[in-house]
Amino acid sequence: MNGGIAALPMYDWPELHAPMDHLWAAITQELHKDGISAPARLARELPYDAGWTRPDLVLGQTCGLPMATTLANRVSVVGTFDHALEACPPGHYRSALLVRADSDIDCLANARGSRLVINNLDSQSGFHSIMGRLRTQLQTRLQTRLQTRLQTRSLDSMPTQRFFSSVAVSDAHRNSIAWLLDERADIAAIDCHSLALARRFGPSPDQLRIVGYTPAVPGTPLITAQHTNASRIGDAVERALQELDADQRRKLGIVGLWRCDVTDYQPMADAGVARIARRELGLEEQTESHH
């Protein structure tokens, strides 16, 4: 009954390997009861995105942004873990905009010229969420100016000058927090579950300050191979979560499974936000210079 691959990398911090292994053992047991083959262990040796489109993927975890773009027609969505985060609907999360406690930045609008650190280029929580906030901010300012001029202009007329002085990639939310503390960056968007884990396991964000939040969106999706019965996999995950004792669920910060599908992630594929992201990476000017 052992076969295929599985990985749940998004919040699989080393300190949580033991309870995560307990959860996977419970999921495997429930899958086997349904006659579904599953590997005995999580494939932690793989890069976090290596198994997303493999035909033998039993259960994986991706980010909402790839789910809305490159993976939309290549995998099946099982659901997402519900972390019961404050001010978020079930199965949703939002990101906190963090700066150092002694920073002069008190909101995103006052962060112009600062150094942004992101966890990954394909991250909704650490990159495109703050780009979405930035786009809304720029749109509001443009609309205000246009109203005073009694003019109408399109989104293409938005400023092309970069807002942040630099955008650096840390490879993990945990690393981004360390970058802020070490003064290698000035601002970062950290999803609230990662922030809660950092409060438990470090680096401690006590010397950081929250200056805003991004809107709540569906959490990191659990996925399976495209032609797999995602509903049956979800049923097994739900039963496994119910089998875990309260202490294991508390350690993982998981209260249940929220059922969703690819349509819940489609709003993340926002061309306007993607353009702001390209601009902040210095790619928009390069693209325009070639035409």
Side-chain angles (χ1 to χ4, degrees), residues 116-127:
L116 173 68
V117 61
I118 65 175
N119 55 330
N120 282 298
L121 293 172
D122 62 356
S123 171
Q124 173 64 30
S125 61
F127 185 29

Side-chain angles (χ1 to χ4, degrees), residues 4 12-13 37 67 92 120 158 163 171 188 199 205 211 223 232 248 271 273 277:
D12 191 20
W13 291 26
S37 182
M67 189 66 253
H92 286 58
N120 282 298
M158 292 180 69
F163 183 84
D171 291 325
R199 291 190 176 112
V211 295
I223 59 175
R232 290 180 64 200
Q248 296 289 348
V273 174

